Amino acid sequence: MHYVDEGEGDPVLLLHGEPTWSYLWRKIIPELPGRVVAPDLIGFGRSDKPEEIGWYSYDRHVESIWRLVGELDLRRLTLVVHDWGGPIGLRVAVEHEERFERLVILNTGIGGGSAPSETWLRFRAVVRELGGALDIGRLVEAGTAQGLSDEVRAVYDAQFPTAESKAGALAFPELVPTEPDHPNTAPMNRVRDALREWHKPTLVVWGAEDTVLPPAIAKAFVALIPGARGPLEIAGAGHFLQEDRPQEVAEAIRSQVYS
């Protein structure tokens, strides 16, 4: 697992999702206080990329992040989660609450048994159809409101030089529990239920233009978690709000760290 580890003090752990990597946080990391740790999930960025789609599982991703927390001995954590970083990181947090002090939740979801939205189902269908021909840079750009430069798209593309290296990106949509009998429905629902008892400070921040995970999901998080504030909706930001409005995202995280 590749990770960025910069600064000193109480740590902030930044978890990305599909199909990005720690590069997503490049404009935010310099704006944050303390020690900032931003891993690349296995299968993404500069981390190893197992080429068998079946290798990837919710449990394996959770275990890899918990191992990172343990190896780096991270305590008094502020956890910032986005996209698939949400189900992974929030599970680590509720299962090891003693390590975590506060949460910042960005454009993600938790719980299983139904599809997040019709737009998400169309996204999954496109990924299934394209397979190894999936255009990663264009996929990220489609989740922004402001678009990406040619240079930034190329950086996202470069992490997946072959069709086989995209196995993690192809696996993630299949790991979303859209049916009651999906193997990840029960574990994700357990995380959601545990969050009903989470009383530590939590801030929900959302890209207001996200059509895949619309702001109604942000409101549901605030209603779910007793310690939650928000949602803070950021205008002009889509699903990848870190690309669209990095300064506003960094300011929101800082406000939570210092709360």
Side-chain angles (χ1 to χ4, degrees):
M1 175 179 279
H2 169 268
Y3 59 90
V4 175
D5 187 355
E6 298 184 356
E8 297 179 354
D10 287 345
V12 180
L13 178 61
L14 307 175
L15 297 185
H16 72 85
E18 155 93 336
T20 59
W21 57 298
S22 55
Y23 178 76
L24 179 69
W25 306 102
R26 68 195 179 280
K27 295 181 180 179
I28 295 169
I29 290 172
E31 304 297 322
L32 299 183
R35 180 183 182 184
V36 182
V37 178
D40 299 344
L41 297 177
I42 300 298
F44 296 83
R46 295 174 179 171
S47 291
D48 287 349
K49 298 182 179 68
E51 295 182 350
E52 292 294 327
I53 292 178
W55 182 92
Y56 295 88
S57 72
Y58 183 33
D59 289 346
R60 274 186 162 146
H61 279 298
V62 169
E63 176 56 32
S64 69
I65 293 300
W66 171 235
R67 181 178 177 186
L68 176 73
V69 170
E71 292 281 351
L72 299 182
D73 194 26
L74 302 178
R75 301 175 186 274
R76 296 185 53 78
L77 270 161
T78 296
L79 174 65
V80 184
V81 298
H82 176 253
D83 193 88
W84 256 101
I88 295 167
L90 294 174
R91 179 170 164 187
V92 174
V94 300
E95 291 181 353
H96 306 279
E97 185 174 350
E98 71 281 357
R99 296 270 186 159
F100 295 85
E101 293 298 316
R102 55 187 67 84
L103 305 176
V104 183
I105 297 173
L106 315 174
N107 293 67
T108 186
I110 193 62
S114 61
S117 67
E118 287 298 323
T119 304
W120 187 89
L121 289 174
R122 289 195 293 272
F123 153 73
R124 185 178 67 178
V126 168
V127 173
R128 286 175 173 175
E129 179 181 355
L130 293 177
L134 184 67
D135 188 325
I136 298 295
R138 293 293 181 186
L139 179 60
V140 176
E141 184 172 48
T144 67
Q146 306 301 322
L148 300 176
S149 68
D150 292 344
E151 178 185 3
V152 171
R153 279 199 309 274
V155 172
Y156 282 116
D157 285 333
Q159 310 313 308
F160 301 96
T162 66
E164 292 77 14
S165 68
K166 298 176 185 177
L170 301 180
F172 258 145
E174 304 303 327
L175 299 180
V176 175
T178 55
E179 304 84 22
D181 59 351
H182 190 286
N184 291 338
T185 295
M188 285 199 192
N189 283 343
R190 285 195 294 270
V191 177
R192 183 188 61 195
D193 292 342
L195 288 171
R196 300 182 195 277
E197 305 301 323
W198 183 273
H199 293 273
K200 294 182 179 181
T202 300
L203 177 63
V204 179
V205 183
W206 223 258
E209 316 303 324
D210 191 343
T211 57
V212 176
L213 298 177
I217 298 176
K219 296 180 175 67
F221 266 113
V222 174
L224 175 71
I225 303 172
R229 295 187 293 122
L232 172 60
E233 294 186 21
I234 299 180
H239 182 71
F240 295 107
L241 62 169
Q242 303 94 328
E243 293 287 353
D244 287 323
R245 293 287 186 260
Q247 293 304 315
E248 288 90 333
V249 174
E251 182 179 350
I253 297 171
R254 285 199 308 270
S255 74
Q256 183 70 338
V257 172
Y258 288 124
S259 62

